[in-house]
Amino acid sequence: MNCRCGSTKKYTDCCKIAHANLSAVTTAEQLMRSRYSAFTMANGEYLMKSHHSSTRPIKEKKAIENWAKSVSWIRLEVLETSQGHPTDDKGTVTFNAYYFENGKVEVIHEKSAFIREDGNWVYLGLAETK
Ligand SMILES: [Zn+2]
């Protein structure tokens, strides 16, 4: 089975590497994909670890896990990326994340900002839209 992030690799060759070791992530897009697959697995631990410490919603961890478990994840669509390469220290990823909730298809459309913290790519929050 292919990894849930939408790559053609198996989970063990894809997001599992990130989930086991955040510092193995080399690009912002890779971090974004690994966070999506963490949502599909309700892996709150990784969602917190891959979140910048200044914006980390640690109090909501359990609620996030419960919500992530309660919906059926469909797929991730990466629409656009800027910077976020191995030599960058910031970047953005614009994506659609589709899921079923209460029998309806819902979509999270977001332009996310990623930066490095302690050398690792982490999610900062919504990117400024200009
Ligand atoms: Zn993956």
Side-chain angles (χ1 to χ4, degrees), residues 26-46:
T26 58
T27 68
E29 181 176 345
Q30 198 186 349
L31 186 82
M32 166 64 227
R33 289 179 177 279
S34 70
R35 282 179 52 83
Y36 172 83
S37 50
F39 268 104
T40 70
M41 304 167 104
N43 182 347
E45 205 59 50
Y46 183 75

Side-chain angles (χ1 to χ4, degrees), residues 3 5 7 14-15 37:
C3 187
C5 75
S7 81
C14 189
C15 292
S37 50

Side-chain angles (χ1 to χ4, degrees), residues 79-113:
L79 303 171
E80 193 183 12
T81 63
S82 74
Q83 299 181 289
H85 299 297
T87 51
D88 293 321
D89 56 11
K90 61 179 180 168
T92 65
V93 179
T94 309
F95 66 89
N96 286 330
Y98 297 91
Y99 59 95
F100 276 112
E101 188 170 22
N102 302 320
K104 279 198 326 198
V105 176
E106 304 282 353
V107 58
I108 298 169
H109 175 75
E110 187 180 309
K111 182 174 185 179
S112 301

